[in-house]
Amino acid sequence: MGPSERDQASTSQPSPTQQEQEDERRKLRRLQIMMNMVLSVISQDPELTVEEAAELAANAKRAALVMFPDKELAYDLLYKPRLQRVIAERFRVQ
């Protein structure tokens, strides 16, 4: 078995095509924009209630998991703390 055959045998999934990589980058950018908008609304909308902010955060999580179904742990590590911090700062919640 040559080196290239070993590499193919050791990887069970085919490498993503350039189109798949571009789609992944596009989805990731869309997620970043969405989360920035949600964080901005929560921190800046003067008429937003704490319940509405929590609903925005929950809807953002649902949308993120639709885009990236198996990445709930990554969401919980990256975005959940940011959302909690912004809501706590904005509404003086402990």
Side-chain angles (χ1 to χ4, degrees):
M1 187 182 287
S4 65
E5 291 173 309
R6 244 181 276 131
D7 290 341
Q8 288 176 349
S10 67
T11 58
S12 60
Q13 296 180 349
S15 62
T17 65
Q18 189 161 348
Q19 180 63 42
E20 290 170 333
Q21 291 174 348
E22 183 61 34
D23 290 344
E24 186 79 5
R25 281 193 293 271
R26 193 173 291 120
K27 285 191 325 185
L28 185 55
R29 183 68 183 136
R30 187 175 296 142
L31 174 63
Q32 291 169 337
I33 291 169
M34 178 188 72
M35 293 308 298
N36 286 337
M37 290 173 63
V38 168
L39 290 163
S40 179
V41 168
I42 290 172
S43 63
Q44 296 178 17
D45 186 348
E47 297 182 11
L48 191 72
T49 66
V50 68
E51 292 82 11
E52 291 170 331
E55 188 175 338
L56 273 174
N59 288 338
K61 181 175 183 175
R62 274 193 291 280
L65 293 178
V66 167
M67 285 188 261
F68 299 97
D70 298 332
K71 301 296 183 183
E72 186 168 2
L73 178 61
Y75 178 90
D76 288 344
L77 292 172
L78 296 172
Y79 291 112
K80 187 176 180 179
R82 285 187 196 171
L83 289 163
Q84 289 174 333
R85 179 180 46 81
V86 168
I87 290 172
E89 288 174 0
R90 166 71 195 284
F91 296 102
R92 310 279 192 265
V93 179
Q94 292 293 330

